[in-house]
Amino acid sequence: MISNASLPKISLHFLSARGQLDRYEKRVRETVSNVVKATTALEKLGPLDIIVQEGRWVIPQIGHTGYTPKADAIFLTLDTKSEALEANLGLPMERVLAHEFHHARRWDTVGCGKTLGEQLITEGLAGRFVEEIYDNPPEPWESAVSLEKLRPHLGAAAQEWDSENYDHMRWFFGEGDLPHWIGYSLGYQLVGKYLEVNSDSRPSMLAAAPAASFRTMLDCLAKE
């Protein structure tokens, strides 16, 4: 547990009864401590449980992934069989956790959403929040589809913006006719355009911003 009066209560839980995560525990704890300090310098976080588990459903390029199903819980999955994992502990994992911390904050405000538009903006805001902290280039999922290749799909995004029945796997994981990770790339571009138009805003200020505030950015991207 990270216990400091100026920091949120963060409880770490390692699902490692058979020792599968023992060799990573120290580095994960250090990473969590670093990202909590970096994140809370910009944004208030509520108490959180971080559950660290071993699994195969990860981002192949980095060997791990995060998932935030509600305001007080983040799941961090490590693929201990991945050749990419060792090289992507430390800062790459900090960025993944910072992304998830922003999701947790958004859950505490307007929620991460049920519609396509809400999910696009939730992901885009988290990506830009990480960029605000680490000044990093776009992550692979945020740069997977270029703006030029996004444009033919902007109309479909506008049509499905308010739909709760959109196909999440199609829009975000390429199951179907859309490019892999298109939702992450589009969300990143939409929030980036919003920040360009609203130059006094920062991602750390926008956790509670409704997705509707960003919808006109679809038209802006189409005109570029």
CSV table of all heavy atoms in Angstrom, one decimal, residues 80-134:
chain,number,residue,atom,x,y,z
A,80,THR,N,4.0,-13.0,-18.9
A,80,THR,CA,5.4,-13.4,-18.5
A,80,THR,C,6.1,-14.2,-19.5
A,80,THR,O,7.3,-14.5,-19.4
A,80,THR,CB,5.3,-14.2,-17.1
A,80,THR,OG1,4.5,-15.4,-17.3
A,80,THR,CG2,4.8,-13.4,-16.0
A,81,LYS,N,5.3,-14.6,-20.5
A,81,LYS,CA,6.0,-15.4,-21.7
A,81,LYS,C,6.3,-14.5,-22.8
A,81,LYS,O,6.9,-14.9,-23.8
A,81,LYS,CB,5.0,-16.5,-22.1
A,81,LYS,CG,4.7,-17.5,-21.1
A,81,LYS,CD,3.9,-18.7,-21.6
A,81,LYS,CE,3.6,-19.7,-20.5
A,81,LYS,NZ,4.8,-20.3,-19.9
A,82,SER,N,6.0,-13.2,-22.7
A,82,SER,CA,6.2,-12.3,-23.8
A,82,SER,C,7.7,-11.8,-23.8
A,82,SER,O,8.3,-11.4,-22.8
A,82,SER,CB,5.3,-11.0,-23.7
A,82,SER,OG,5.7,-10.0,-24.6
A,83,GLU,N,8.3,-11.8,-25.0
A,83,GLU,CA,9.7,-11.4,-25.1
A,83,GLU,C,9.8,-9.8,-25.0
A,83,GLU,O,10.8,-9.3,-24.8
A,83,GLU,CB,10.3,-11.8,-26.5
A,83,GLU,CG,10.4,-13.3,-26.6
A,83,GLU,CD,11.0,-13.7,-27.9
A,83,GLU,OE1,11.3,-12.8,-28.8
A,83,GLU,OE2,11.2,-14.9,-28.2
A,84,ALA,N,8.6,-9.2,-25.1
A,84,ALA,CA,8.6,-7.7,-25.0
A,84,ALA,C,8.5,-7.2,-23.6
A,84,ALA,O,8.8,-6.0,-23.4
A,84,ALA,CB,7.5,-7.2,-25.9
A,85,LEU,N,8.1,-8.0,-22.7
A,85,LEU,CA,7.8,-7.5,-21.4
A,85,LEU,C,8.9,-6.9,-20.6
A,85,LEU,O,8.8,-5.8,-20.1
A,85,LEU,CB,7.2,-8.7,-20.5
A,85,LEU,CG,6.9,-8.3,-19.1
A,85,LEU,CD1,5.8,-7.2,-19.0
A,85,LEU,CD2,6.4,-9.6,-18.3
A,86,GLU,N,10.1,-7.5,-20.6
A,86,GLU,CA,11.2,-7.1,-19.8
A,86,GLU,C,11.6,-5.6,-20.2
A,86,GLU,O,11.9,-4.8,-19.4
A,86,GLU,CB,12.4,-8.0,-19.9
A,86,GLU,CG,13.5,-7.8,-19.0
A,86,GLU,CD,13.1,-8.1,-17.5
A,86,GLU,OE1,12.3,-9.0,-17.3
A,86,GLU,OE2,13.7,-7.4,-16.6
A,87,ALA,N,11.6,-5.4,-21.5
A,87,ALA,CA,12.1,-4.1,-22.0
A,87,ALA,C,11.0,-3.0,-21.9
A,87,ALA,O,11.3,-1.8,-22.1
A,87,ALA,CB,12.5,-4.2,-23.5
A,88,ASN,N,9.8,-3.4,-21.5
A,88,ASN,CA,8.7,-2.4,-21.4
A,88,ASN,C,8.2,-2.3,-20.0
A,88,ASN,O,7.0,-1.8,-19.8
A,88,ASN,CB,7.6,-2.8,-22.4
A,88,ASN,CG,8.1,-2.5,-23.8
A,88,ASN,OD1,8.1,-1.3,-24.3
A,88,ASN,ND2,8.5,-3.5,-24.6
A,89,LEU,N,9.0,-2.7,-19.0
A,89,LEU,CA,8.7,-2.3,-17.7
A,89,LEU,C,9.2,-0.8,-17.5
A,89,LEU,O,9.6,-0.2,-18.4
A,89,LEU,CB,9.4,-3.2,-16.7
A,89,LEU,CG,9.0,-4.7,-16.8
A,89,LEU,CD1,9.9,-5.6,-16.0
A,89,LEU,CD2,7.5,-4.9,-16.5
A,90,GLY,N,9.1,-0.3,-16.3
A,90,GLY,CA,9.6,1.1,-16.1
A,90,GLY,C,8.7,2.1,-16.8
A,90,GLY,O,7.4,2.1,-16.7
A,91,LEU,N,9.3,3.0,-17.6
A,91,LEU,CA,8.5,4.1,-18.2
A,91,LEU,C,7.3,3.7,-19.1
A,91,LEU,O,6.2,4.2,-19.0
A,91,LEU,CB,9.4,5.0,-19.0
A,91,LEU,CG,10.1,6.1,-18.2
A,91,LEU,CD1,11.1,6.9,-19.1
A,91,LEU,CD2,9.1,7.1,-17.6
A,92,PRO,N,7.5,2.6,-20.0
A,92,PRO,CA,6.3,2.2,-20.7
A,92,PRO,C,5.2,1.8,-19.9
A,92,PRO,O,4.0,2.0,-20.2
A,92,PRO,CB,6.9,1.0,-21.6
A,92,PRO,CG,8.3,1.4,-21.7
A,92,PRO,CD,8.7,1.9,-20.4
A,93,MET,N,5.5,1.1,-18.8
A,93,MET,CA,4.4,0.7,-17.8
A,93,MET,C,3.9,1.9,-17.1
A,93,MET,O,2.6,1.9,-16.8
A,93,MET,CB,4.9,-0.4,-16.9
A,93,MET,CG,3.8,-1.0,-16.0
A,93,MET,SD,4.4,-2.3,-14.9
A,93,MET,CE,4.5,-3.6,-16.1
A,94,GLU,N,4.7,2.8,-16.7
A,94,GLU,CA,4.2,4.1,-16.1
A,94,GLU,C,3.2,4.7,-17.0
A,94,GLU,O,2.1,5.2,-16.5
A,94,GLU,CB,5.4,5.0,-15.9
A,94,GLU,CG,6.2,4.7,-14.6
A,94,GLU,CD,7.1,5.9,-14.3
A,94,GLU,OE1,6.7,7.0,-14.4
A,94,GLU,OE2,8.3,5.6,-13.9
A,95,ARG,N,3.4,4.8,-18.3
A,95,ARG,CA,2.5,5.4,-19.2
A,95,ARG,C,1.2,4.7,-19.3
A,95,ARG,O,0.1,5.3,-19.3
A,95,ARG,CB,3.2,5.6,-20.6
A,95,ARG,CG,4.4,6.5,-20.6
A,95,ARG,CD,4.7,7.0,-22.0
A,95,ARG,NE,5.0,6.0,-22.9
A,95,ARG,CZ,6.2,5.4,-23.2
A,95,ARG,NH1,7.2,5.8,-22.5
A,95,ARG,NH2,6.3,4.5,-24.1
A,96,VAL,N,1.3,3.4,-19.3
A,96,VAL,CA,0.0,2.6,-19.4
A,96,VAL,C,-0.8,2.8,-18.1
A,96,VAL,O,-2.0,3.0,-18.1
A,96,VAL,CB,0.4,1.1,-19.5
A,96,VAL,CG1,-0.8,0.2,-19.2
A,96,VAL,CG2,0.8,0.8,-20.9
A,97,LEU,N,-0.1,2.9,-17.0
A,97,LEU,CA,-0.8,3.1,-15.7
A,97,LEU,C,-1.4,4.5,-15.6
A,97,LEU,O,-2.5,4.7,-15.1
A,97,LEU,CB,0.1,2.8,-14.5
A,97,LEU,CG,0.3,1.3,-14.2
A,97,LEU,CD1,1.4,1.1,-13.2
A,97,LEU,CD2,-1.0,0.7,-13.7
A,98,ALA,N,-0.6,5.5,-16.1
A,98,ALA,CA,-1.1,6.9,-16.1
A,98,ALA,C,-2.4,7.0,-17.0
A,98,ALA,O,-3.4,7.7,-16.6
A,98,ALA,CB,-0.1,7.8,-16.6
A,99,HIS,N,-2.4,6.3,-18.1
A,99,HIS,CA,-3.6,6.2,-19.0
A,99,HIS,C,-4.8,5.6,-18.2
A,99,HIS,O,-5.9,6.2,-18.2
A,99,HIS,CB,-3.2,5.2,-20.1
A,99,HIS,CG,-4.3,5.1,-21.2
A,99,HIS,ND1,-4.2,5.7,-22.4
A,99,HIS,CD2,-5.5,4.5,-21.2
A,99,HIS,CE1,-5.2,5.4,-23.1
A,99,HIS,NE2,-6.1,4.7,-22.4
A,100,GLU,N,-4.5,4.6,-17.4
A,100,GLU,CA,-5.6,3.9,-16.6
A,100,GLU,C,-6.0,4.8,-15.5
A,100,GLU,O,-7.2,4.9,-15.1
A,100,GLU,CB,-5.2,2.6,-16.1
A,100,GLU,CG,-4.9,1.6,-17.3
A,100,GLU,CD,-6.0,1.4,-18.3
A,100,GLU,OE1,-7.2,1.4,-17.9
A,100,GLU,OE2,-5.6,1.3,-19.5
A,101,PHE,N,-5.1,5.6,-14.9
A,101,PHE,CA,-5.5,6.5,-13.8
A,101,PHE,C,-6.4,7.5,-14.3
A,101,PHE,O,-7.3,8.0,-13.6
A,101,PHE,CB,-4.2,7.1,-13.2
A,101,PHE,CG,-3.4,6.3,-12.3
A,101,PHE,CD1,-2.2,6.7,-11.7
A,101,PHE,CD2,-3.8,5.0,-12.0
A,101,PHE,CE1,-1.5,5.9,-10.9
A,101,PHE,CE2,-3.1,4.2,-11.1
A,101,PHE,CZ,-1.9,4.6,-10.6
A,102,HIS,N,-6.2,8.0,-15.5
A,102,HIS,CA,-7.1,9.0,-16.1
A,102,HIS,C,-8.5,8.4,-16.3
A,102,HIS,O,-9.5,9.0,-16.0
A,102,HIS,CB,-6.6,9.6,-17.4
A,102,HIS,CG,-7.3,10.8,-17.9
A,102,HIS,ND1,-8.5,10.7,-18.5
A,102,HIS,CD2,-7.1,12.1,-17.7
A,102,HIS,CE1,-9.0,12.0,-18.8
A,102,HIS,NE2,-8.1,12.8,-18.3
A,103,HIS,N,-8.6,7.1,-16.7
A,103,HIS,CA,-9.9,6.4,-16.8
A,103,HIS,C,-10.5,6.4,-15.4
A,103,HIS,O,-11.8,6.6,-15.3
A,103,HIS,CB,-9.7,5.0,-17.3
A,103,HIS,CG,-9.3,4.9,-18.7
A,103,HIS,ND1,-9.5,5.9,-19.6
A,103,HIS,CD2,-8.9,3.8,-19.5
A,103,HIS,CE1,-9.2,5.5,-20.9
A,103,HIS,NE2,-8.8,4.2,-20.8
A,104,ALA,N,-9.8,6.1,-14.4
A,104,ALA,CA,-10.3,6.0,-13.0
A,104,ALA,C,-10.9,7.3,-12.6
A,104,ALA,O,-12.0,7.4,-12.0
A,104,ALA,CB,-9.3,5.5,-12.0
A,105,ARG,N,-10.2,8.4,-12.9
A,105,ARG,CA,-10.7,9.7,-12.6
A,105,ARG,C,-11.9,10.1,-13.4
A,105,ARG,O,-12.9,10.6,-12.9
A,105,ARG,CB,-9.6,10.8,-12.9
A,105,ARG,CG,-10.0,12.2,-12.7
A,105,ARG,CD,-10.3,12.5,-11.3
A,105,ARG,NE,-10.7,13.9,-11.1
A,105,ARG,CZ,-11.5,14.3,-10.1
A,105,ARG,NH1,-12.1,13.5,-9.3
A,105,ARG,NH2,-11.8,15.6,-10.0
A,106,ARG,N,-12.0,9.7,-14.7
A,106,ARG,CA,-13.2,9.9,-15.5
A,106,ARG,C,-14.4,9.1,-14.9
A,106,ARG,O,-15.5,9.6,-14.9
A,106,ARG,CB,-12.9,9.6,-16.9
A,106,ARG,CG,-14.0,10.1,-17.9
A,106,ARG,CD,-13.4,10.3,-19.3
A,106,ARG,NE,-14.4,10.7,-20.3
A,106,ARG,CZ,-14.8,11.9,-20.5
A,106,ARG,NH1,-14.4,12.9,-19.8
A,106,ARG,NH2,-15.7,12.1,-21.5
A,107,TRP,N,-14.1,7.9,-14.5
A,107,TRP,CA,-15.2,7.1,-13.9
A,107,TRP,C,-15.8,7.9,-12.7
A,107,TRP,O,-17.0,7.8,-12.4
A,107,TRP,CB,-14.7,5.7,-13.4
A,107,TRP,CG,-14.7,4.7,-14.5
A,107,TRP,CD1,-13.6,3.9,-14.9
A,107,TRP,CD2,-15.8,4.1,-15.2
A,107,TRP,NE1,-14.0,3.0,-15.8
A,107,TRP,CE2,-15.4,3.1,-16.0
A,107,TRP,CE3,-17.2,4.4,-15.1
A,107,TRP,CZ2,-16.2,2.4,-16.8
A,107,TRP,CZ3,-18.1,3.7,-16.0
A,107,TRP,CH2,-17.6,2.7,-16.8
A,108,ASP,N,-14.9,8.6,-12.0
A,108,ASP,CA,-15.4,9.3,-10.8
A,108,ASP,C,-16.1,10.6,-11.1
A,108,ASP,O,-16.7,11.2,-10.2
A,108,ASP,CB,-14.2,9.7,-9.9
A,108,ASP,CG,-14.0,8.7,-8.7
A,108,ASP,OD1,-15.0,8.1,-8.3
A,108,ASP,OD2,-12.8,8.6,-8.3
A,109,THR,N,-16.1,11.0,-12.4
A,109,THR,CA,-16.8,12.2,-12.8
A,109,THR,C,-18.0,11.9,-13.7
A,109,THR,O,-19.0,11.5,-13.2
A,109,THR,CB,-15.8,13.2,-13.4
A,109,THR,OG1,-15.2,12.5,-14.5
A,109,THR,CG2,-14.8,13.6,-12.5
A,110,VAL,N,-17.8,12.0,-15.0
A,110,VAL,CA,-18.9,11.7,-15.9
A,110,VAL,C,-19.0,10.2,-16.3
A,110,VAL,O,-20.0,9.8,-17.0
A,110,VAL,CB,-18.7,12.6,-17.2
A,110,VAL,CG1,-18.8,14.0,-16.9
A,110,VAL,CG2,-17.4,12.2,-17.9
A,111,GLY,N,-18.0,9.4,-16.0
A,111,GLY,CA,-18.0,8.0,-16.4
A,111,GLY,C,-17.3,7.9,-17.7
A,111,GLY,O,-17.2,8.8,-18.5
A,112,CYS,N,-16.8,6.7,-18.0
A,112,CYS,CA,-16.1,6.4,-19.2
A,112,CYS,C,-17.0,6.2,-20.4
A,112,CYS,O,-16.6,6.3,-21.6
A,112,CYS,CB,-15.2,5.2,-19.1
A,112,CYS,SG,-13.7,5.6,-18.1
A,113,GLY,N,-18.3,6.0,-20.1
A,113,GLY,CA,-19.3,6.0,-21.2
A,113,GLY,C,-19.7,4.7,-21.8
A,113,GLY,O,-19.0,3.7,-21.7
A,114,LYS,N,-20.8,4.7,-22.5
A,114,LYS,CA,-21.4,3.5,-23.2
A,114,LYS,C,-21.5,3.7,-24.7
A,114,LYS,O,-21.6,2.7,-25.4
A,114,LYS,CB,-22.8,3.2,-22.6
A,114,LYS,CG,-22.8,2.9,-21.1
A,114,LYS,CD,-24.3,2.6,-20.7
A,114,LYS,CE,-24.3,2.3,-19.2
A,114,LYS,NZ,-25.7,2.0,-18.7
A,115,THR,N,-21.4,4.9,-25.2
A,115,THR,CA,-21.6,5.2,-26.6
A,115,THR,C,-20.2,5.2,-27.3
A,115,THR,O,-19.1,5.3,-26.6
A,115,THR,CB,-22.3,6.5,-26.9
A,115,THR,OG1,-21.4,7.6,-26.4
A,115,THR,CG2,-23.6,6.6,-26.1
A,116,LEU,N,-20.2,5.1,-28.6
A,116,LEU,CA,-18.9,5.2,-29.3
A,116,LEU,C,-18.2,6.5,-29.0
A,116,LEU,O,-17.0,6.5,-28.8
A,116,LEU,CB,-19.2,5.0,-30.8
A,116,LEU,CG,-18.0,5.2,-31.7
A,116,LEU,CD1,-16.9,4.2,-31.4
A,116,LEU,CD2,-18.4,5.2,-33.2
A,117,GLY,N,-19.0,7.6,-29.1
A,117,GLY,CA,-18.4,8.9,-28.9
A,117,GLY,C,-17.7,9.0,-27.5
A,117,GLY,O,-16.6,9.5,-27.4
A,118,GLU,N,-18.4,8.5,-26.5
A,118,GLU,CA,-17.9,8.6,-25.1
A,118,GLU,C,-16.6,7.7,-25.0
A,118,GLU,O,-15.6,8.2,-24.4
A,118,GLU,CB,-18.9,8.1,-24.2
A,118,GLU,CG,-20.1,9.1,-24.0
A,118,GLU,CD,-21.3,8.5,-23.3
A,118,GLU,OE1,-21.4,7.2,-23.2
A,118,GLU,OE2,-22.1,9.2,-22.8
A,119,GLN,N,-16.6,6.6,-25.6
A,119,GLN,CA,-15.4,5.8,-25.6
A,119,GLN,C,-14.2,6.4,-26.3
A,119,GLN,O,-13.1,6.3,-25.9
A,119,GLN,CB,-15.7,4.3,-26.1
A,119,GLN,CG,-16.6,3.5,-25.2
A,119,GLN,CD,-15.8,3.1,-23.9
A,119,GLN,OE1,-14.7,2.7,-24.0
A,119,GLN,NE2,-16.5,3.3,-22.8
A,120,LEU,N,-14.5,7.0,-27.5
A,120,LEU,CA,-13.5,7.6,-28.3
A,120,LEU,C,-12.8,8.7,-27.4
A,120,LEU,O,-11.6,8.8,-27.4
A,120,LEU,CB,-14.0,8.2,-29.6
A,120,LEU,CG,-14.5,7.2,-30.6
A,120,LEU,CD1,-15.2,8.0,-31.8
A,120,LEU,CD2,-13.3,6.5,-31.2
A,121,ILE,N,-13.6,9.5,-26.8
A,121,ILE,CA,-13.1,10.7,-26.0
A,121,ILE,C,-12.4,10.2,-24.8
A,121,ILE,O,-11.4,10.7,-24.4
A,121,ILE,CB,-14.2,11.7,-25.8
A,121,ILE,CG1,-14.7,12.2,-27.1
A,121,ILE,CG2,-13.6,12.8,-24.9
A,121,ILE,CD1,-13.7,12.7,-28.1
A,122,THR,N,-12.9,9.2,-24.1
A,122,THR,CA,-12.3,8.6,-22.9
A,122,THR,C,-10.9,8.1,-23.3
A,122,THR,O,-9.9,8.4,-22.5
A,122,THR,CB,-13.1,7.5,-22.4
A,122,THR,OG1,-14.3,8.0,-21.7
A,122,THR,CG2,-12.4,6.6,-21.3
A,123,GLU,N,-10.7,7.4,-24.4
A,123,GLU,CA,-9.4,6.9,-24.7
A,123,GLU,C,-8.5,8.1,-25.2
A,123,GLU,O,-7.3,8.1,-24.9
A,123,GLU,CB,-9.5,5.9,-25.8
A,123,GLU,CG,-10.2,4.6,-25.4
A,123,GLU,CD,-9.5,3.9,-24.3
A,123,GLU,OE1,-8.3,4.1,-24.1
A,123,GLU,OE2,-10.1,3.1,-23.6
A,124,GLY,N,-9.1,9.0,-26.0
A,124,GLY,CA,-8.3,10.1,-26.4
A,124,GLY,C,-7.8,11.0,-25.3
A,124,GLY,O,-6.6,11.4,-25.3
A,125,LEU,N,-8.6,11.3,-24.3
A,125,LEU,CA,-8.2,12.1,-23.2
A,125,LEU,C,-7.1,11.4,-22.4
A,125,LEU,O,-6.1,12.0,-21.9
A,125,LEU,CB,-9.4,12.4,-22.3
A,125,LEU,CG,-10.4,13.5,-22.7
A,125,LEU,CD1,-11.6,13.5,-21.8
A,125,LEU,CD2,-9.7,14.8,-22.7
A,126,ALA,N,-7.2,10.1,-22.2
A,126,ALA,CA,-6.2,9.4,-21.4
A,126,ALA,C,-4.9,9.4,-22.1
A,126,ALA,O,-3.8,9.6,-21.5
A,126,ALA,CB,-6.7,7.9,-21.2
A,127,GLY,N,-4.9,9.2,-23.4
A,127,GLY,CA,-3.7,9.3,-24.2
A,127,GLY,C,-3.0,10.6,-24.1
A,127,GLY,O,-1.8,10.7,-24.0
A,128,ARG,N,-3.8,11.7,-24.3
A,128,ARG,CA,-3.2,13.0,-24.2
A,128,ARG,C,-2.8,13.4,-22.8
A,128,ARG,O,-1.9,14.2,-22.6
A,128,ARG,CB,-4.3,14.0,-24.7
A,128,ARG,CG,-4.6,13.9,-26.2
A,128,ARG,CD,-3.4,14.2,-27.1
A,128,ARG,NE,-3.7,14.1,-28.5
A,128,ARG,CZ,-2.9,14.5,-29.5
A,128,ARG,NH1,-1.8,15.0,-29.2
A,128,ARG,NH2,-3.3,14.3,-30.8
A,129,PHE,N,-3.5,12.8,-21.8
A,129,PHE,CA,-3.0,13.0,-20.4
A,129,PHE,C,-1.6,12.5,-20.2
A,129,PHE,O,-0.8,13.1,-19.6
A,129,PHE,CB,-4.0,12.4,-19.5
A,129,PHE,CG,-3.7,12.5,-18.0
A,129,PHE,CD1,-3.6,13.7,-17.3
A,129,PHE,CD2,-3.4,11.3,-17.3
A,129,PHE,CE1,-3.3,13.7,-16.0
A,129,PHE,CE2,-3.1,11.4,-15.9
A,129,PHE,CZ,-3.0,12.6,-15.3
A,130,VAL,N,-1.4,11.3,-20.7
A,130,VAL,CA,-0.1,10.7,-20.6
A,130,VAL,C,1.0,11.5,-21.3
A,130,VAL,O,2.1,11.8,-20.8
A,130,VAL,CB,-0.1,9.2,-21.2
A,130,VAL,CG1,1.3,8.7,-21.3
A,130,VAL,CG2,-1.0,8.3,-20.4
A,131,GLU,N,0.6,12.1,-22.5
A,131,GLU,CA,1.5,12.9,-23.2
A,131,GLU,C,1.8,14.2,-22.4
A,131,GLU,O,2.9,14.7,-22.4
A,131,GLU,CB,0.8,13.3,-24.5
A,131,GLU,CG,1.7,14.1,-25.5
A,131,GLU,CD,0.9,14.4,-26.8
A,131,GLU,OE1,-0.1,15.2,-26.7
A,131,GLU,OE2,1.3,13.9,-27.8
A,132,GLU,N,0.8,14.7,-21.7
A,132,GLU,CA,1.0,15.9,-20.9
A,132,GLU,C,2.1,15.7,-19.8
A,132,GLU,O,2.9,16.5,-19.5
A,132,GLU,CB,-0.3,16.3,-20.2
A,132,GLU,CG,-0.3,17.6,-19.4
A,132,GLU,CD,-1.6,17.9,-18.7
A,132,GLU,OE1,-2.6,17.3,-19.0
A,132,GLU,OE2,-1.6,18.9,-17.9
A,133,ILE,N,2.0,14.5,-19.2
A,133,ILE,CA,3.0,14.1,-18.1
A,133,ILE,C,4.4,13.8,-18.7
A,133,ILE,O,5.4,14.3,-18.2
A,133,ILE,CB,2.5,12.9,-17.3
A,133,ILE,CG1,1.1,13.3,-16.6
A,133,ILE,CG2,3.5,12.5,-16.3
A,133,ILE,CD1,0.5,12.1,-16.0
A,134,TYR,N,4.4,12.9,-19.7
A,134,TYR,CA,5.7,12.4,-20.1
A,134,TYR,C,6.3,13.0,-21.4
A,134,TYR,O,7.4,12.6,-21.8
A,134,TYR,CB,5.5,10.8,-20.3
A,134,TYR,CG,5.2,10.1,-19.0
A,134,TYR,CD1,3.9,9.8,-18.6
A,134,TYR,CD2,6.2,9.8,-18.1
A,134,TYR,CE1,3.6,9.2,-17.4
A,134,TYR,CE2,6.0,9.2,-16.9
A,134,TYR,CZ,4.7,8.9,-16.6
A,134,TYR,OH,4.4,8.2,-15.4
